[in-house]
Amino acid sequence: MASVTTAAEAVARIAYLSSDVILSIQPALSTHSDFSKHLHSYSTNRLPGLVAKETPEVIAIRHNVDPLLSAFQPLRSGKLVSATTASSILLPSVPHLYKLAQYPIVLHVALHPLDSADYSEITAIRQSGFVFLHSETLQEAQDIALSAHALAIRLGKGVIHFFDPANSARDHPIEVENRDLVGEILHLDAARATQLRKEERTSLYVDDGRRATVTEEIAQSPTEGQNERGSATVAPREITTEKSSTEGASSVGSSVRKSSVDSGQTISSATSVDSTITRPVTSDDIYDCITSIWAQIARATERVYRVFEYTGPDDAESALFVFGSTGLFVDELREPSSADEFAKFGLITARLYRPWISTRLSQLLPESIRRIAVLEQIRKKTTKWGPVLLDILTSLRSGPTADNSLLIVGHQLGYIEPATVRQAIRGIFQNLSSPTPVQNLEVGSGERPPHASPQYALTQPKIENAYMKILDQVFGERLHVANRLDAAHAGISATIAASPEFGFGSLLARHQHRRRFIDEVQAAAATRDFVTDIPQKWLSKWALCAEDAQKANFTAPDVISRLRNDGSRLASTLLESKSLFFKESQWLVGSDAWAYDLGNSGVHHVIASGANVNMLIIDSQPWSERAAADEARRKKDIGLYAMHFGNAYVASVAVYSSYTQVLEAMIEADQFDGPSVVVAYLPYHKEDDSPLTVLQETKKAVDLGYWPLYRWNPSKEENGEPNFSLDSERIKQELEEFLRRDNHLTQLMNRHPNFAANLSESYGTEVRALQKRKAKDAYNTLLESLYGAPLTILFASDNGNAESLAKRLGSRGKARGLKTMVMAMDDYPLEDLPTEENVVMLTSTAGQGEFPQNGRAFWDAVKDNTEIDLSQVRYAVFALGDSHYWPRKEDKIYYNKPGKDLDARIAFLGGKKLADVGLGDDQDPDSYQTGYAEWEPKLWQALGVDNVEGLPEEPPPITNEDIKIESNFLRGTIAEGLADTTTGAISASDSQLTKFHGTYMQDDRDLRDERKAQGMEPAYAFMIRCRLNGGVATPSQWLQMDSISSSYGNETMKLTTRQTFQFHGVVKSKLKSAMRGINKALMTTIAACGDVNRNIMVSPLPTRSAFHRDVHQVSARISDHLLPSTTAYHEIWLKDDASPDEKQTKVAGDAVVDQEPLYGPTYLPRKFKITIAVPPHNDTDVYAHDIGLIAIKDASGKRLEGFNVLVGGGMGVTHNNKKTYPRTGSMLGYFPASQIHVVCEKIMLVQRDHGDRKNRKHARLKYTIDDMGVDVFRSKVEDLLGDTFKEPRPFEFKSNIDTFGWQKDEFGMNHFLMFIENGRVEDTPEFSMKTGLREIAKVHKGDFRLTPNQHLCLSGVPDAELDTIKGMLKQYKLDNLHFSGLRLSSSACVAFPTCGLAMAESERYLPELITKLEGCLEENGLRQDSIVMRMTGCPNGCARPWLAEVAFVGKAYGAYNMYLGGGYHGQRLNKLYRSSIGEEEILGIMKPLLRRYAAEREEGERFGDFVIRIGMIKPTREGKAFHEDVAEEESDGE
């Protein structure tokens, strides 16, 4: 049977069962308390409670953020609330305790510090109105926790259950609670009644007059045995008490404890009720109720509990009353060796501390007791006499039963070592027996033991450095953060010093001090006490600008210098405060993690003061948790509140959305003369969340309008400028509408705005419901006049296959006379499902057996719904999946899991099957179409429309070839789509054509779900890829690219694996402007993507400039020769909109006079890539491309002669489709450089004419060559050339990575190859990379060379400029190359959030994975070793993963296929080692493997060769063998 081992676990289990909401108060969100690790485990596993209608909600709250504030909202909503906490939060929570005591809330308090508990927090709040229950042992913790919840439910009163965790640390494990008994004790009917009572929202800080009450029955004729007060009608209506047997087992194991319960019989006689009255709960009610609860526990378990507990003989003469940890005393008194010495001693403890029932204590004590020692474990003593001592004196030395002969002596209980307990007890009784006993004698040590556990400490999360570093960077030495966490303040605790309130007070004092100093300077300037008159002039000059930071700080050094030179006494006096000559940038920081709370009244005080103070308020509430957030804590409203004042600068910023806007806001805040509020968004679930998580949450919040970016500067009105600036540029119009809807801007016009309003949270739901209803009604209207049975077709589709099938099925249904309606599952109103007659559902499989995004909400609603009745609905389900996608046997359940689950669920809800679930399998000969062809006829047969005659022929599906041939040489309707302002997208066919123009339509996948929930279309934006021959750009081109990324994109640039620039986040309205900007830089984007020859890659070759120039010229010749000829690019992007009179002349109908002499109207079957490598460097991965040219030197070894020609390389693969594979290029032979552009043309023409145009997955040149054979392909090329290939020239490759650092070429020019991780050029708080490169481009006169490994070479730096460039590189940290060899050799594609093909993270995750491996590299001496590691988010191979020594290819979110054994020189493909593994498995494989590599490798052996030699993986000899001999065989998936 399961057992419970700690008091915290016992309490957590009871709290979880007995509550709707549990506040888990923790040291930090990422650090568990003793309770929280259990609570979050229960919540994660969705274990059911007893009280909660659904799974109990566990809310993690930091201990320093006024945590009990979060109890009010659920309590007033009729929820039963409990909190698990350390005692440190009690005193700061005093303002709330008096109100919370009148609600049915239970606080479970673990006394801190651990190992040395302090009970003073309990005594300090004893008059707060709560009921206080104390437990000592592990079993008591379980029972008293249950008693606390039962008492709160029955009386509607707050209960604090406190205990010392260390006291029961050595107790034996106990059995888990009995759920039936817990339900009985809690009285679930009373709990339901409590949950039905809801209250209006009232003030949090003012007493709202609520009181816990009971309804009392007034009987006409009380029967015998009824008490005089009558029976309170709390639940249960009759409080039953009974005499507890002294033979029963005590909770501390004593068999001699006397009960303090009255000996009256159980009230069971009936009374006739005349009326009832309602009155406040009294101590008698509490006593009656708790004894009734304990009586129930005693009957069920024989464990007896009493208000006061007494252990000892009936004839004891002395007793210890311990208010503290009793474990050591109980153990010692039980010791057989102590039996004689302590035979006349007893032990008393309080189980019910408040209310204090005096009469029960006097009744409990044996009459023989003459002396009582009161031990109070109170570290923070504030009065001479302890509070418990005073309670006992009041109980026993006053009143009618007073015994003045009883000696009562107080003691202070400190820390006692277990070995000295007996000695301590002797000392107590010796003092007690003394003629003159010492009051307040300290027993044990008052100091905490050296091994005691540390108390909760404030720490600033590292992730907040994003804002703190910006402050440091912007203001430098001027910066003064008044409440900085690490600041030293004599005599002030770190907690107080870090509070914004303390910081504000210190700033006011600092302002006054500087104001006095300015007065002193002005007075000094008017005297003649200086040696010369020079200081007077400078002091006067400074005094005039003392409040102007820029001028004062510029003048201050000169003033200080003149004063030092003067040497007079007055000058020396002023120099004692020389720091005040500088005007600081003064800031307060508010953060829930360590500096709570500027979020409430603190803001009001600062703004109302009018002081020139800057506030940075960090809001860490994640967007995804906004609905559960307590509106009383909403910091997003602080900006509105501050704007309403009118005298404050206000900005709402998010560093992970717009770094530039944060800089602007901080600078403007500093310049504003008055209070400034910068509300900064930094959403995280836990303090140790990755930046990726913060980025995703930020994007959702900003994009959907939850966190608008804006600046409000009242001073601009003076200049006639608008004072409000909205900076959420990408969705500016939508966001403005959102702000109006959410009442943010209009609140500024209200006299008394409601700043806690939360209107937007329900808006999205309403929009979605309205959209669904309108869509359904529109369909119904459309179909009213049609005949035939209705057929509703619902689909869930990620890649479009299920959607296409659904639409085709709908068309076929209409042709058969059915009234068909086709909708995405999430667009369908679920409440209409029971009214349907026939429903067909088609779903593909996403991720790890998950529903596609547009079906998840539908499935979530169906799977949890038990009330919907589908008995009148006939249905069928078809599922699309891949039986080999998850190859391991244990993962076979994921095959078509959504469809199978949906079929089973609809059947469970009463649906009647039209046909068995159909299963489409990508592994079948015709993919999913094989299974679909068998399933569809069964559907028509079940519907009775299988034998319909005269069905029309269906048009074939539109293919990419159709789109190209109908596009009029790549025009399509692109221009019309760009002009359409009703959507951020373009049509599907146009999105295929724009690829030829160098741009892809994408949407932000981080935001898909949230925008869908808000009723908005996806966050469409475009990626632009430049065509940059050989990766060489001039400084002016770099500056133009930098400007475009900031003005039109997402403020970052991507250096791609094809040596070019890529921009993301360009919205449709800015697309044409961005294209024009690129062309102004004498660059283009045409043919950067699409079924044409793309950007040609060339080795950067920094050490051999003349040879690089030769190769680069050849690449330019090839590029220009193979460029498409269409004029569509110029017409659409560069030409001004033509007037009606300027339309181009057309012939033959609508065809523009245009031609493509090389490509023809259908261009190539698929994309075509060319690269040039210069041995010994294979840094362009020459084997991975359609054409790979290996440069061969002439006899002098200095100039280019010709090329060895490789053909048929390619990286694209489809997971688990063995018909697709990567391939390395095959050698055709050698050809001179002068004709190599013609060779490339003829190779491309053979592919144009013989490539597969029916199956795009089989359309690349690699498949054409494997289908033909290399010799046949060579002969066809030679036929077109009219010449033959010569024997290939010898060459040798030694690596395919970049050589970092400074290098010199043969002309004496300098080149610096810098590390740009994964090619992402951006500014972050830690690294101003983009700014640094921009500044360098302004002075550099050479080239910028982009490398195929996504890094950057600063080329052509003369010696005369070397120091300048080196200084700038150092200034911006661009010269840092102190990275591990693994990191320097790594590469990743973009993947999430912009790539529509991504299945998993790549660019955003690979750096984190490498960080987790670098410790192992260090330990094994591998830090400097180069190991080529690559990661992609899908198998299309943009980062060329199949050639890496170790590669990870995304398969689902968080799951990757792992490949090993690639050649270090890029010459050999790797092979699958493990499929669908997560981070834990990756690290579990890589760390031991790296250790083994370090220990067992041979001299000079590379990692990829090593794993083959030791037999971990078989080598891949050719592309067609890629799927053979893999380390992990795929299962059949059946």
Side-chain angles (χ1 to χ4, degrees), residues 150-174:
L151 184 65
I153 289 172
R154 299 183 189 199
L155 291 179
K157 188 118 175 96
V159 182
I160 292 177
H161 165 221
F162 62 98
F163 62 96
D164 174 10
N167 197 56
S168 58
R170 295 187 298 275
D171 286 9
H172 294 298
I174 63 172

PDB file of all heavy atoms in Angstrom, residues 150-174:
ATOM      1  N   ALA A 150     -12.422  20.514   7.362  1.00  0.00           N
ATOM      2  CA  ALA A 150     -13.802  20.236   7.762  1.00  0.00           C
ATOM      3  C   ALA A 150     -14.360  21.397   8.577  1.00  0.00           C
ATOM      4  O   ALA A 150     -15.520  21.794   8.405  1.00  0.00           O
ATOM      5  CB  ALA A 150     -13.838  18.938   8.565  1.00  0.00           C
ATOM      6  N   LEU A 151     -13.560  21.941   9.470  1.00  0.00           N
ATOM      7  CA  LEU A 151     -13.996  23.060  10.300  1.00  0.00           C
ATOM      8  C   LEU A 151     -14.295  24.287   9.432  1.00  0.00           C
ATOM      9  O   LEU A 151     -15.306  24.977   9.637  1.00  0.00           O
ATOM     10  CB  LEU A 151     -12.908  23.380  11.327  1.00  0.00           C
ATOM     11  CG  LEU A 151     -13.234  24.461  12.353  1.00  0.00           C
ATOM     12  CD1 LEU A 151     -14.382  24.021  13.259  1.00  0.00           C
ATOM     13  CD2 LEU A 151     -12.003  24.783  13.189  1.00  0.00           C
ATOM     14  N   ALA A 152     -13.417  24.586   8.461  1.00  0.00           N
ATOM     15  CA  ALA A 152     -13.632  25.743   7.590  1.00  0.00           C
ATOM     16  C   ALA A 152     -14.920  25.589   6.788  1.00  0.00           C
ATOM     17  O   ALA A 152     -15.681  26.549   6.610  1.00  0.00           O
ATOM     18  CB  ALA A 152     -12.434  25.913   6.658  1.00  0.00           C
ATOM     19  N   ILE A 153     -15.179  24.385   6.297  1.00  0.00           N
ATOM     20  CA  ILE A 153     -16.382  24.158   5.498  1.00  0.00           C
ATOM     21  C   ILE A 153     -17.640  24.292   6.351  1.00  0.00           C
ATOM     22  O   ILE A 153     -18.623  24.913   5.952  1.00  0.00           O
ATOM     23  CB  ILE A 153     -16.306  22.762   4.836  1.00  0.00           C
ATOM     24  CG1 ILE A 153     -15.237  22.762   3.733  1.00  0.00           C
ATOM     25  CG2 ILE A 153     -17.657  22.361   4.261  1.00  0.00           C
ATOM     26  CD1 ILE A 153     -14.960  21.389   3.148  1.00  0.00           C
ATOM     27  N   ARG A 154     -17.611  23.716   7.549  1.00  0.00           N
ATOM     28  CA  ARG A 154     -18.817  23.696   8.381  1.00  0.00           C
ATOM     29  C   ARG A 154     -19.134  25.056   8.977  1.00  0.00           C
ATOM     30  O   ARG A 154     -20.309  25.416   9.113  1.00  0.00           O
ATOM     31  CB  ARG A 154     -18.648  22.670   9.502  1.00  0.00           C
ATOM     32  CG  ARG A 154     -18.444  21.251   8.973  1.00  0.00           C
ATOM     33  CD  ARG A 154     -18.360  20.244  10.095  1.00  0.00           C
ATOM     34  NE  ARG A 154     -17.965  18.922   9.599  1.00  0.00           N
ATOM     35  CZ  ARG A 154     -18.158  17.795  10.253  1.00  0.00           C
ATOM     36  NH1 ARG A 154     -18.744  17.808  11.447  1.00  0.00           N
ATOM     37  NH2 ARG A 154     -17.764  16.647   9.753  1.00  0.00           N
ATOM     38  N   LEU A 155     -18.108  25.807   9.338  1.00  0.00           N
ATOM     39  CA  LEU A 155     -18.352  27.098   9.997  1.00  0.00           C
ATOM     40  C   LEU A 155     -18.136  28.297   9.084  1.00  0.00           C
ATOM     41  O   LEU A 155     -18.441  29.422   9.467  1.00  0.00           O
ATOM     42  CB  LEU A 155     -17.451  27.230  11.231  1.00  0.00           C
ATOM     43  CG  LEU A 155     -17.770  26.296  12.405  1.00  0.00           C
ATOM     44  CD1 LEU A 155     -16.779  26.535  13.533  1.00  0.00           C
ATOM     45  CD2 LEU A 155     -19.185  26.516  12.900  1.00  0.00           C
ATOM     46  N   GLY A 156     -17.553  28.075   7.883  1.00  0.00           N
ATOM     47  CA  GLY A 156     -17.274  29.215   7.010  1.00  0.00           C
ATOM     48  C   GLY A 156     -16.223  30.133   7.579  1.00  0.00           C
ATOM     49  O   GLY A 156     -16.206  31.328   7.288  1.00  0.00           O
ATOM     50  N   LYS A 157     -15.315  29.589   8.379  1.00  0.00           N
ATOM     51  CA  LYS A 157     -14.333  30.392   9.113  1.00  0.00           C
ATOM     52  C   LYS A 157     -12.927  29.994   8.679  1.00  0.00           C
ATOM     53  O   LYS A 157     -12.659  28.843   8.334  1.00  0.00           O
ATOM     54  CB  LYS A 157     -14.492  30.125  10.606  1.00  0.00           C
ATOM     55  CG  LYS A 157     -13.659  31.036  11.488  1.00  0.00           C
ATOM     56  CD  LYS A 157     -14.534  31.865  12.375  1.00  0.00           C
ATOM     57  CE  LYS A 157     -13.680  32.692  13.333  1.00  0.00           C
ATOM     58  NZ  LYS A 157     -13.483  34.038  12.809  1.00  0.00           N
ATOM     59  N   GLY A 158     -12.015  30.957   8.703  1.00  0.00           N
ATOM     60  CA  GLY A 158     -10.634  30.698   8.348  1.00  0.00           C
ATOM     61  C   GLY A 158      -9.923  29.892   9.417  1.00  0.00           C
ATOM     62  O   GLY A 158     -10.107  30.115  10.616  1.00  0.00           O
ATOM     63  N   VAL A 159      -9.081  28.944   8.986  1.00  0.00           N
ATOM     64  CA  VAL A 159      -8.341  28.093   9.900  1.00  0.00           C
ATOM     65  C   VAL A 159      -6.873  28.095   9.499  1.00  0.00           C
ATOM     66  O   VAL A 159      -6.545  27.981   8.315  1.00  0.00           O
ATOM     67  CB  VAL A 159      -8.869  26.635   9.869  1.00  0.00           C
ATOM     68  CG1 VAL A 159      -8.106  25.773  10.875  1.00  0.00           C
ATOM     69  CG2 VAL A 159     -10.369  26.606  10.159  1.00  0.00           C
ATOM     70  N   ILE A 160      -6.003  28.257  10.482  1.00  0.00           N
ATOM     71  CA  ILE A 160      -4.560  28.132  10.261  1.00  0.00           C
ATOM     72  C   ILE A 160      -4.102  26.854  10.946  1.00  0.00           C
ATOM     73  O   ILE A 160      -4.254  26.699  12.163  1.00  0.00           O
ATOM     74  CB  ILE A 160      -3.796  29.347  10.807  1.00  0.00           C
ATOM     75  CG1 ILE A 160      -4.130  30.593   9.989  1.00  0.00           C
ATOM     76  CG2 ILE A 160      -2.286  29.084  10.788  1.00  0.00           C
ATOM     77  CD1 ILE A 160      -3.478  31.861  10.485  1.00  0.00           C
ATOM     78  N   HIS A 161      -3.563  25.953  10.149  1.00  0.00           N
ATOM     79  CA  HIS A 161      -2.987  24.716  10.674  1.00  0.00           C
ATOM     80  C   HIS A 161      -1.468  24.873  10.598  1.00  0.00           C
ATOM     81  O   HIS A 161      -0.908  24.999   9.523  1.00  0.00           O
ATOM     82  CB  HIS A 161      -3.447  23.527   9.832  1.00  0.00           C
ATOM     83  CG  HIS A 161      -2.630  22.289  10.067  1.00  0.00           C
ATOM     84  ND1 HIS A 161      -2.243  21.446   9.043  1.00  0.00           N
ATOM     85  CD2 HIS A 161      -2.106  21.752  11.195  1.00  0.00           C
ATOM     86  CE1 HIS A 161      -1.530  20.451   9.525  1.00  0.00           C
ATOM     87  NE2 HIS A 161      -1.420  20.613  10.826  1.00  0.00           N
ATOM     88  N   PHE A 162      -0.799  24.886  11.749  1.00  0.00           N
ATOM     89  CA  PHE A 162       0.647  25.101  11.750  1.00  0.00           C
ATOM     90  C   PHE A 162       1.361  23.903  12.358  1.00  0.00           C
ATOM     91  O   PHE A 162       0.831  23.209  13.220  1.00  0.00           O
ATOM     92  CB  PHE A 162       1.012  26.394  12.480  1.00  0.00           C
ATOM     93  CG  PHE A 162       0.642  26.440  13.936  1.00  0.00           C
ATOM     94  CD1 PHE A 162       1.580  26.148  14.926  1.00  0.00           C
ATOM     95  CD2 PHE A 162      -0.647  26.789  14.340  1.00  0.00           C
ATOM     96  CE1 PHE A 162       1.249  26.200  16.271  1.00  0.00           C
ATOM     97  CE2 PHE A 162      -0.988  26.840  15.681  1.00  0.00           C
ATOM     98  CZ  PHE A 162      -0.035  26.546  16.660  1.00  0.00           C
ATOM     99  N   PHE A 163       2.586  23.687  11.896  1.00  0.00           N
ATOM    100  CA  PHE A 163       3.371  22.554  12.370  1.00  0.00           C
ATOM    101  C   PHE A 163       4.845  22.789  12.054  1.00  0.00           C
ATOM    102  O   PHE A 163       5.184  23.595  11.176  1.00  0.00           O
ATOM    103  CB  PHE A 163       2.903  21.247  11.720  1.00  0.00           C
ATOM    104  CG  PHE A 163       3.064  21.210  10.221  1.00  0.00           C
ATOM    105  CD1 PHE A 163       4.170  20.624   9.628  1.00  0.00           C
ATOM    106  CD2 PHE A 163       2.101  21.775   9.394  1.00  0.00           C
ATOM    107  CE1 PHE A 163       4.317  20.593   8.250  1.00  0.00           C
ATOM    108  CE2 PHE A 163       2.232  21.751   8.019  1.00  0.00           C
ATOM    109  CZ  PHE A 163       3.356  21.159   7.441  1.00  0.00           C
ATOM    110  N   ASP A 164       5.690  22.089  12.789  1.00  0.00           N
ATOM    111  CA  ASP A 164       7.139  22.136  12.565  1.00  0.00           C
ATOM    112  C   ASP A 164       7.525  20.888  11.782  1.00  0.00           C
ATOM    113  O   ASP A 164       7.462  19.774  12.308  1.00  0.00           O
ATOM    114  CB  ASP A 164       7.866  22.177  13.913  1.00  0.00           C
ATOM    115  CG  ASP A 164       9.385  22.087  13.746  1.00  0.00           C
ATOM    116  OD1 ASP A 164       9.871  22.176  12.604  1.00  0.00           O
ATOM    117  OD2 ASP A 164      10.073  21.921  14.765  1.00  0.00           O
ATOM    118  N   PRO A 165       7.920  21.013  10.508  1.00  0.00           N
ATOM    119  CA  PRO A 165       8.242  19.827   9.710  1.00  0.00           C
ATOM    120  C   PRO A 165       9.349  18.973  10.315  1.00  0.00           C
ATOM    121  O   PRO A 165       9.335  17.749  10.191  1.00  0.00           O
ATOM    122  CB  PRO A 165       8.674  20.421   8.359  1.00  0.00           C
ATOM    123  CG  PRO A 165       8.081  21.778   8.315  1.00  0.00           C
ATOM    124  CD  PRO A 165       8.063  22.263   9.737  1.00  0.00           C
ATOM    125  N   ALA A 166      10.317  19.626  10.971  1.00  0.00           N
ATOM    126  CA  ALA A 166      11.433  18.872  11.541  1.00  0.00           C
ATOM    127  C   ALA A 166      10.990  17.999  12.707  1.00  0.00           C
ATOM    128  O   ALA A 166      11.629  17.000  13.021  1.00  0.00           O
ATOM    129  CB  ALA A 166      12.527  19.843  11.993  1.00  0.00           C
ATOM    130  N   ASN A 167       9.894  18.378  13.355  1.00  0.00           N
ATOM    131  CA  ASN A 167       9.438  17.640  14.539  1.00  0.00           C
ATOM    132  C   ASN A 167       9.034  16.209  14.199  1.00  0.00           C
ATOM    133  O   ASN A 167       9.131  15.307  15.025  1.00  0.00           O
ATOM    134  CB  ASN A 167       8.261  18.385  15.174  1.00  0.00           C
ATOM    135  CG  ASN A 167       8.003  17.939  16.598  1.00  0.00           C
ATOM    136  OD1 ASN A 167       8.899  17.988  17.439  1.00  0.00           O
ATOM    137  ND2 ASN A 167       6.789  17.481  16.862  1.00  0.00           N
ATOM    138  N   SER A 168       8.576  16.004  12.946  1.00  0.00           N
ATOM    139  CA  SER A 168       8.112  14.680  12.548  1.00  0.00           C
ATOM    140  C   SER A 168       9.017  14.046  11.502  1.00  0.00           C
ATOM    141  O   SER A 168       8.640  13.070  10.861  1.00  0.00           O
ATOM    142  CB  SER A 168       6.683  14.769  11.989  1.00  0.00           C
ATOM    143  OG  SER A 168       6.637  15.664  10.884  1.00  0.00           O
ATOM    144  N   ALA A 169      10.201  14.608  11.334  1.00  0.00           N
ATOM    145  CA  ALA A 169      11.080  14.135  10.264  1.00  0.00           C
ATOM    146  C   ALA A 169      11.490  12.687  10.444  1.00  0.00           C
ATOM    147  O   ALA A 169      11.762  11.989   9.460  1.00  0.00           O
ATOM    148  CB  ALA A 169      12.318  15.033  10.181  1.00  0.00           C
ATOM    149  N   ARG A 170      11.545  12.233  11.697  1.00  0.00           N
ATOM    150  CA  ARG A 170      11.980  10.856  11.942  1.00  0.00           C
ATOM    151  C   ARG A 170      10.812   9.904  12.178  1.00  0.00           C
ATOM    152  O   ARG A 170      11.023   8.747  12.550  1.00  0.00           O
ATOM    153  CB  ARG A 170      12.933  10.831  13.151  1.00  0.00           C
ATOM    154  CG  ARG A 170      14.238  11.574  12.921  1.00  0.00           C
ATOM    155  CD  ARG A 170      15.199  11.372  14.067  1.00  0.00           C
ATOM    156  NE  ARG A 170      14.658  11.886  15.321  1.00  0.00           N
ATOM    157  CZ  ARG A 170      14.748  13.149  15.719  1.00  0.00           C
ATOM    158  NH1 ARG A 170      15.356  14.032  14.941  1.00  0.00           N
ATOM    159  NH2 ARG A 170      14.237  13.549  16.865  1.00  0.00           N
ATOM    160  N   ASP A 171       9.582  10.371  11.977  1.00  0.00           N
ATOM    161  CA  ASP A 171       8.422   9.501  12.169  1.00  0.00           C
ATOM    162  C   ASP A 171       8.379   8.415  11.095  1.00  0.00           C
ATOM    163  O   ASP A 171       8.840   8.606   9.968  1.00  0.00           O
ATOM    164  CB  ASP A 171       7.125  10.321  12.098  1.00  0.00           C
ATOM    165  CG  ASP A 171       6.926  11.162  13.341  1.00  0.00           C
ATOM    166  OD1 ASP A 171       7.860  11.230  14.162  1.00  0.00           O
ATOM    167  OD2 ASP A 171       5.848  11.762  13.466  1.00  0.00           O
ATOM    168  N   HIS A 172       7.789   7.282  11.454  1.00  0.00           N
ATOM    169  CA  HIS A 172       7.610   6.202  10.490  1.00  0.00           C
ATOM    170  C   HIS A 172       6.547   6.602   9.464  1.00  0.00           C
ATOM    171  O   HIS A 172       5.608   7.343   9.782  1.00  0.00           O
ATOM    172  CB  HIS A 172       7.181   4.917  11.202  1.00  0.00           C
ATOM    173  CG  HIS A 172       8.234   4.365  12.111  1.00  0.00           C
ATOM    174  ND1 HIS A 172       9.470   3.935  11.661  1.00  0.00           N
ATOM    175  CD2 HIS A 172       8.244   4.185  13.457  1.00  0.00           C
ATOM    176  CE1 HIS A 172      10.192   3.500  12.682  1.00  0.00           C
ATOM    177  NE2 HIS A 172       9.460   3.660  13.793  1.00  0.00           N
ATOM    178  N   PRO A 173       6.669   6.114   8.234  1.00  0.00           N
ATOM    179  CA  PRO A 173       5.649   6.430   7.221  1.00  0.00           C
ATOM    180  C   PRO A 173       4.261   5.986   7.678  1.00  0.00           C
ATOM    181  O   PRO A 173       4.115   5.030   8.438  1.00  0.00           O
ATOM    182  CB  PRO A 173       6.110   5.633   5.990  1.00  0.00           C
ATOM    183  CG  PRO A 173       7.576   5.443   6.197  1.00  0.00           C
ATOM    184  CD  PRO A 173       7.768   5.298   7.675  1.00  0.00           C
ATOM    185  N   ILE A 174       3.258   6.691   7.190  1.00  0.00           N
ATOM    186  CA  ILE A 174       1.871   6.351   7.508  1.00  0.00           C
ATOM    187  C   ILE A 174       1.138   6.009   6.223  1.00  0.00           C
ATOM    188  O   ILE A 174       1.607   6.302   5.114  1.00  0.00           O
ATOM    189  CB  ILE A 174       1.160   7.511   8.230  1.00  0.00           C
ATOM    190  CG1 ILE A 174       1.088   8.749   7.311  1.00  0.00           C
ATOM    191  CG2 ILE A 174       1.838   7.831   9.548  1.00  0.00           C
ATOM    192  CD1 ILE A 174       0.240   9.880   7.866  1.00  0.00           C
TER     193      ILE A 174
END
